[in-house]
Amino acid sequence: MRHCIYPGTFDPITYGHLDVLSRAAKLFDRVTVAVAESAGKAPLFTPAERLQMIAPNVANLPHVSVTTFSGLLVEFCMAQQADAIIRGLRALSDFEFEFNMALMNRHLEPELETLFVMPNEQFSYTSSTLVKQVAAYGGDVRHFVPPNVAEALTAAFRKGKLC
Ligand code: COA
């Protein structure tokens, strides 16, 4: 059983993230989407809300589960007995951050590999921040996020939340 962890803040999950996930699901027997608390990023949604938004979008993939975590990613991965971390590389600009993170995680846990997949190029400019900005000003984000996420964004900004 090969098990990988797909970590992220997912504030909120986008079709780009789901594209990475579908690729990981083809490669591994088990995939755990791990929603990081990421308090430092001041997320719009709580970890529980982010998990709730992801769950219906992975329901068609029986070997994919979603959970939240806090603390060090490598510790979570070891506790889950995972073989690898999977991350997406949208463009060259992602590389430096991802490279440093992969090397730091390898320093902390040499046995744990990080693998990268490239999402479809149509998602190369998608980011959670941009999606939130567009939604905050009433723009249509349905091209970038699943319907339940678009609804959650509309509801959040109707309540006056700031992104
Ligand atoms: N499609 C769309 N957007 C994507 C994407 C894809 N395929 N891949 C990345 N992104 C975007 C996200 O939308 C997000 O955009 P934003 O910054 O505008 O919000 C950004 O890239 C990164 O977000 P995400 O993929 O959600 O992950 P992250 O970089 O926030 O996650 C953690 C980082 C959680 C993996 C990392 O901070 C971590 O491991 N934290 C735990 C603590 C720890 O161990 N720290 C040491 C790490 S060395």
Side-chain angles (χ1 to χ4, degrees):
M1 278 285 271
R2 306 302 283 174
H3 177 198
C4 84
I5 305 287
Y6 180 28
T9 303
F10 304 116
D11 186 49
I13 193 144
T14 67
Y15 282 132
H17 289 123
L18 290 169
D19 182 280
V20 171
L21 181 60
S22 71
R23 291 169 201 278
K26 282 186 214 149
L27 297 172
F28 286 86
D29 304 306
R30 194 177 151 208
V31 182
T32 300
V33 181
V35 179
E37 208 170 334
S38 295
K41 285 182 95 172
L44 176 66
F45 297 104
T46 66
E49 288 170 334
R50 285 177 262 148
L51 184 150
Q52 255 178 19
M53 279 187 267
I54 296 170
N57 293 294
V58 301
N60 60 331
L61 299 167
H63 59 308
V64 174
S65 59
V66 196
T67 189
T68 58
F69 80 102
S70 55
L72 276 183
L73 174 62
V74 291
E75 286 180 2
F76 173 77
C77 291
M78 296 321 280
Q80 296 288 314
Q81 298 181 314
D83 302 289
I85 296 167
I86 198 135
R87 293 280 291 171
L89 281 178
R90 288 164 298 172
L92 207 54
S93 50
D94 283 341
F95 181 77
E96 195 172 352
F97 173 73
E98 293 296 337
F99 186 68
N100 289 338
M101 196 159 67
L103 290 183
M104 179 59 80
N105 283 332
R106 180 187 283 169
H107 170 83
L108 295 170
E109 193 49 72
E111 292 302 308
L112 195 62
E113 289 297 340
T114 301
L115 303 179
F116 296 100
V117 297
M118 268 74 75
N120 189 303
E121 60 275 14
Q122 66 173 301
F123 303 119
S124 60
Y125 63 96
T126 309
S127 81
S128 301
T129 299
L130 287 180
V131 166
K132 283 182 283 190
Q133 277 180 16
V134 172
Y137 291 105
D140 185 355
V141 292
R142 286 173 300 176
H143 180 73
F144 306 103
V145 296
N148 69 315
V149 176
E151 280 165 28
L153 283 164
T154 305
F157 291 119
R158 202 182 295 127
K159 278 189 205 152
K161 281 198 182 191
L162 298 173
C163 67

Coordinates of all heavy atoms in Angstrom, one line a residue, residues 6-12 14-17 20 36 38 41 69 71-74 87-90 94 97-98 100-102 104-105 108 119 123 126-130 132, ligand 1:
Y6 N -1.2 14.8 0.6 CA -1.3 16.0 -0.2 C -1.6 17.2 0.8 O -2.8 17.4 1.1 CB -2.3 15.9 -1.3 CG -2.4 17.1 -2.2 CD1 -1.4 18.0 -2.4 CD2 -3.6 17.5 -2.8 CE1 -1.5 19.1 -3.3 CE2 -3.8 18.6 -3.6 CZ -2.7 19.4 -3.8 OH -2.8 20.5 -4.6
P7 N -0.5 17.9 1.2 CA -0.8 19.0 2.2 C -1.0 20.3 1.5 O -0.6 20.6 0.4 CB 0.5 19.0 3.0 CG 1.6 18.7 1.9 CD 0.9 17.8 0.9
G8 N -1.7 21.2 2.3 CA -1.9 22.6 1.8 C -2.8 23.3 2.7 O -3.4 22.7 3.7
T9 N -2.9 24.6 2.4 CA -3.8 25.4 3.3 C -5.2 25.3 2.7 O -6.2 25.3 3.4 CB -3.3 26.9 3.2 OG1 -2.0 26.9 3.7 CG2 -4.2 27.8 4.1
F10 N -5.3 25.2 1.4 CA -6.6 25.0 0.7 C -7.6 26.0 1.2 O -8.7 25.7 1.6 CB -7.1 23.6 0.9 CG -6.2 22.5 0.5 CD1 -5.6 21.6 1.4 CD2 -5.8 22.4 -0.8 CE1 -4.7 20.6 1.0 CE2 -4.9 21.4 -1.2 CZ -4.4 20.5 -0.3
D11 N -7.3 27.3 1.1 CA -8.2 28.4 1.6 C -8.6 29.2 0.4 O -8.2 30.4 0.3 CB -7.4 29.2 2.6 CG -8.3 30.3 3.2 OD1 -9.4 29.9 3.7 OD2 -7.9 31.5 3.3
P12 N -9.5 28.8 -0.4 CA -10.2 27.5 -0.4 C -9.5 26.6 -1.5 O -8.6 27.0 -2.3 CB -11.6 27.8 -0.9 CG -11.4 28.9 -1.9 CD -10.2 29.7 -1.4
T14 N -9.2 24.7 -5.0 CA -9.6 25.1 -6.3 C -9.5 23.9 -7.3 O -9.0 22.8 -6.9 CB -8.5 26.1 -6.8 OG1 -7.3 25.5 -7.0 CG2 -8.4 27.3 -5.9
Y15 N -10.0 24.1 -8.5 CA -9.9 23.0 -9.5 C -8.4 22.7 -9.7 O -8.1 21.6 -10.1 CB -10.5 23.5 -10.8 CG -12.1 23.4 -10.8 CD1 -12.8 24.4 -11.2 CD2 -12.7 22.2 -10.3 CE1 -14.2 24.3 -11.2 CE2 -14.1 22.1 -10.3 CZ -14.8 23.2 -10.7 OH -16.2 23.1 -10.7
G16 N -7.5 23.6 -9.5 CA -6.1 23.3 -9.7 C -5.6 22.3 -8.7 O -4.9 21.4 -9.0
H17 N -6.0 22.5 -7.4 CA -5.7 21.5 -6.4 C -6.3 20.2 -6.7 O -5.7 19.1 -6.5 CB -6.2 22.0 -5.0 CG -5.5 23.2 -4.4 ND1 -6.2 24.3 -4.1 CD2 -4.3 23.4 -4.0 CE1 -5.4 25.2 -3.5 NE2 -4.2 24.6 -3.5
V20 N -4.3 18.3 -9.2 CA -3.1 17.6 -8.6 C -3.6 16.4 -7.9 O -3.0 15.3 -8.0 CB -2.4 18.6 -7.6 CG1 -1.4 17.9 -6.8 CG2 -1.8 19.8 -8.4
A36 N -3.8 22.1 6.4 CA -3.0 22.7 7.4 C -3.7 23.9 8.0 O -4.4 24.6 7.4 CB -1.7 23.2 6.8
S38 N -2.3 26.6 9.1 CA -1.7 27.8 8.5 C -2.2 29.1 9.1 O -2.5 30.0 8.3 CB -2.0 27.8 7.0 OG -1.3 26.7 6.4
K41 N -1.1 32.5 7.7 CA -1.6 33.0 6.5 C -3.0 33.7 6.7 O -3.6 34.2 5.7 CB -1.8 31.9 5.4 CG -0.5 31.4 4.8 CD -0.7 30.3 3.8 CE -0.8 30.8 2.4 NZ -0.8 29.8 1.3
F69 N -4.6 19.1 10.0 CA -3.4 18.8 10.9 C -2.8 20.2 11.4 O -3.1 21.2 10.7 CB -2.4 17.9 10.2 CG -1.5 18.7 9.3 CD1 -0.2 19.1 9.6 CD2 -1.9 19.0 8.0 CE1 0.7 19.8 8.7 CE2 -1.1 19.7 7.1 CZ 0.2 20.1 7.5
G71 N 1.0 21.7 13.4 CA 2.3 21.2 13.7 C 3.1 20.9 12.5 O 2.7 21.3 11.3
L72 N 4.2 20.2 12.6 CA 5.1 19.9 11.5 C 4.5 18.9 10.6 O 4.0 17.8 11.0 CB 6.4 19.4 12.0 CG 7.5 20.4 12.4 CD1 8.8 19.7 12.8 CD2 7.8 21.4 11.3
L73 N 4.6 19.2 9.3 CA 4.1 18.3 8.3 C 4.7 16.9 8.3 O 4.1 15.9 8.2 CB 4.3 18.9 6.9 CG 3.9 18.0 5.7 CD1 2.4 17.6 5.7 CD2 4.3 18.7 4.4
V74 N 6.0 16.9 8.5 CA 6.7 15.6 8.5 C 6.3 14.7 9.7 O 6.2 13.5 9.5 CB 8.3 15.7 8.5 CG1 8.8 16.3 7.2 CG2 8.8 16.5 9.7
R87 N 3.1 17.5 -4.1 CA 2.8 18.9 -4.2 C 2.7 19.2 -5.7 O 3.3 18.5 -6.6 CB 3.9 19.7 -3.6 CG 4.1 19.6 -2.1 CD 3.0 20.5 -1.4 NE 3.3 21.9 -1.5 CZ 2.5 22.8 -1.1 NH1 1.3 22.5 -0.5 NH2 2.7 24.1 -1.3
G88 N 2.0 20.3 -6.0 CA 1.8 20.7 -7.4 C 2.8 21.8 -7.8 O 3.1 22.7 -6.9
L89 N 3.3 21.8 -9.0 CA 4.1 22.9 -9.5 C 3.3 23.5 -10.7 O 3.2 22.9 -11.7 CB 5.4 22.4 -10.0 CG 6.5 22.1 -9.0 CD1 7.8 21.5 -9.7 CD2 6.9 23.3 -8.2
R90 N 2.8 24.7 -10.4 CA 2.0 25.4 -11.5 C 2.8 26.0 -12.5 O 2.5 26.1 -13.7 CB 1.1 26.4 -10.9 CG -0.1 25.9 -10.1 CD -0.7 27.0 -9.2 NE 0.3 27.5 -8.3 CZ 0.2 28.6 -7.5 NH1 -0.9 29.3 -7.6 NH2 1.2 29.0 -6.7
D94 N 6.8 28.7 -8.8 CA 6.5 27.9 -7.6 C 7.8 27.2 -7.1 O 7.9 26.7 -6.0 CB 5.5 26.8 -7.9 CG 4.0 27.3 -7.9 OD1 3.8 28.4 -7.4 OD2 3.2 26.6 -8.5
F97 N 10.2 28.1 -3.8 CA 9.5 27.8 -2.5 C 9.4 26.3 -2.3 O 9.7 25.8 -1.2 CB 8.2 28.5 -2.5 CG 7.3 28.2 -1.3 CD1 7.6 28.8 -0.1 CD2 6.2 27.4 -1.5 CE1 6.8 28.5 1.0 CE2 5.4 27.1 -0.4 CZ 5.7 27.7 0.9
E98 N 8.9 25.6 -3.3 CA 8.7 24.2 -3.2 C 10.0 23.4 -2.9 O 10.0 22.5 -2.2 CB 8.0 23.7 -4.4 CG 6.5 24.2 -4.6 CD 5.6 23.8 -3.4 OE1 5.8 22.8 -2.8 OE2 4.6 24.5 -3.2
N100 N 12.8 24.5 -1.6 CA 13.3 24.8 -0.2 C 12.5 24.0 0.8 O 13.0 23.4 1.7 CB 13.3 26.3 0.1 CG 14.3 27.0 -0.6 OD1 15.3 26.4 -1.1 ND2 14.1 28.3 -0.8
M101 N 11.2 24.0 0.6 CA 10.3 23.2 1.5 C 10.6 21.7 1.5 O 10.7 21.1 2.5 CB 8.8 23.5 1.2 CG 7.9 23.1 2.3 SD 6.3 23.9 2.2 CE 5.6 23.2 0.7
A102 N 10.8 21.2 0.3 CA 11.1 19.8 0.1 C 12.4 19.4 0.8 O 12.6 18.4 1.4 CB 11.1 19.4 -1.4
M104 N 13.9 21.1 3.2 CA 13.8 21.2 4.7 C 13.1 20.0 5.2 O 13.5 19.4 6.3 CB 13.0 22.5 5.1 CG 12.8 22.7 6.5 SD 14.3 22.8 7.5 CE 14.8 24.5 7.2
N105 N 12.0 19.5 4.6 CA 11.3 18.4 5.0 C 12.2 17.1 5.0 O 12.2 16.3 5.8 CB 10.0 18.1 4.2 CG 8.9 19.1 4.6 OD1 8.9 19.5 5.8 ND2 8.0 19.4 3.7
L108 N 14.5 17.2 7.9 CA 13.8 16.8 9.1 C 13.4 15.3 9.1 O 13.4 14.6 10.2 CB 12.5 17.6 9.3 CG 12.6 19.1 9.5 CD1 11.3 19.8 9.3 CD2 13.3 19.4 10.8
P119 N 0.0 20.4 -12.6 CA -1.4 20.5 -12.9 C -1.6 20.9 -14.4 O -0.7 21.5 -15.0 CB -2.0 21.5 -12.0 CG -0.9 22.3 -11.5 CD 0.3 21.5 -11.6
F123 N -4.6 25.8 -15.2 CA -4.7 26.2 -13.9 C -3.4 27.0 -13.4 O -3.2 27.2 -12.3 CB -4.9 25.0 -12.9 CG -6.1 24.2 -13.2 CD1 -6.1 22.9 -13.6 CD2 -7.4 24.9 -13.2 CE1 -7.2 22.2 -13.9 CE2 -8.5 24.1 -13.5 CZ -8.4 22.8 -13.9
T126 N -4.1 30.1 -11.5 CA -5.1 30.0 -10.4 C -4.4 30.0 -9.1 O -3.5 29.3 -8.8 CB -5.9 28.7 -10.5 OG1 -6.4 28.5 -11.8 CG2 -7.1 28.7 -9.5
S127 N -4.9 30.8 -8.1 CA -4.4 30.7 -6.8 C -5.6 31.0 -5.8 O -6.5 31.7 -6.2 CB -3.3 31.7 -6.5 OG -3.8 33.0 -6.2
S128 N -5.5 30.5 -4.6 CA -6.6 30.8 -3.7 C -6.8 32.3 -3.4 O -7.9 32.8 -3.3 CB -6.3 30.0 -2.4 OG -6.2 28.6 -2.7
T129 N -5.6 33.0 -3.3 CA -5.7 34.4 -3.0 C -6.5 35.1 -4.2 O -7.3 36.0 -3.9 CB -4.3 35.0 -2.9 OG1 -3.7 34.3 -1.8 CG2 -4.3 36.5 -2.6
L130 N -6.1 34.8 -5.4 CA -6.8 35.5 -6.5 C -8.2 35.2 -6.6 O -9.1 36.1 -6.8 CB -6.1 35.2 -7.9 CG -4.7 35.8 -8.1 CD1 -4.1 35.4 -9.4 CD2 -4.8 37.3 -8.0
K132 N -10.1 34.4 -4.1 CA -10.8 35.2 -3.0 C -11.0 36.6 -3.4 O -12.0 37.2 -3.1 CB -10.0 35.1 -1.7 CG -10.2 33.7 -1.0 CD -9.4 33.6 0.3 CE -8.0 33.4 0.1 NZ -7.2 33.1 1.3
Ligands
COA1 N1 -3.9 24.9 -8.1 C1 -4.2 26.1 -7.7 N2 -3.5 26.8 -6.7 C2 -2.4 26.2 -6.3 C3 -2.0 25.0 -6.7 C4 -2.8 24.3 -7.7 N3 -2.4 23.1 -8.2 N4 -0.9 24.6 -6.1 C5 -0.6 25.7 -5.3 N5 -1.6 26.6 -5.4 C6 -1.6 27.9 -4.7 C7 -2.7 28.0 -3.7 O1 -3.9 28.4 -4.3 C8 -2.1 28.9 -2.7 O2 -2.3 30.2 -3.1 P1 -2.3 31.5 -2.1 O3 -0.9 31.5 -1.6 O4 -2.7 32.6 -3.0 O5 -3.3 31.2 -1.1 C9 -0.6 28.7 -2.8 O6 -0.4 28.1 -4.1 C10 -0.1 27.6 -1.9 O7 -1.2 27.1 -1.2 P2 -1.5 25.6 -0.9 O8 -1.3 24.7 -2.1 O9 -2.8 25.5 -0.3 O10 -0.4 25.2 0.1 P3 0.5 26.0 1.1 O11 1.8 26.5 0.3 O12 -0.2 27.1 1.8 O13 0.9 24.9 2.0 C11 2.1 23.8 3.7 C12 2.1 24.9 2.7 C13 0.8 23.7 4.6 C14 2.3 22.5 3.0 C15 3.3 24.1 4.6 O14 3.2 25.4 5.1 C16 3.5 23.1 5.8 O15 3.9 22.1 5.6 N6 3.0 23.6 7.0 C17 3.1 22.8 8.2 C18 4.2 23.3 9.1 C19 5.6 22.8 8.6 O16 5.9 21.6 8.6 N7 6.4 23.7 8.1 C20 7.7 23.4 7.6 C21 7.7 23.2 6.1 S1 9.3 23.0 5.4

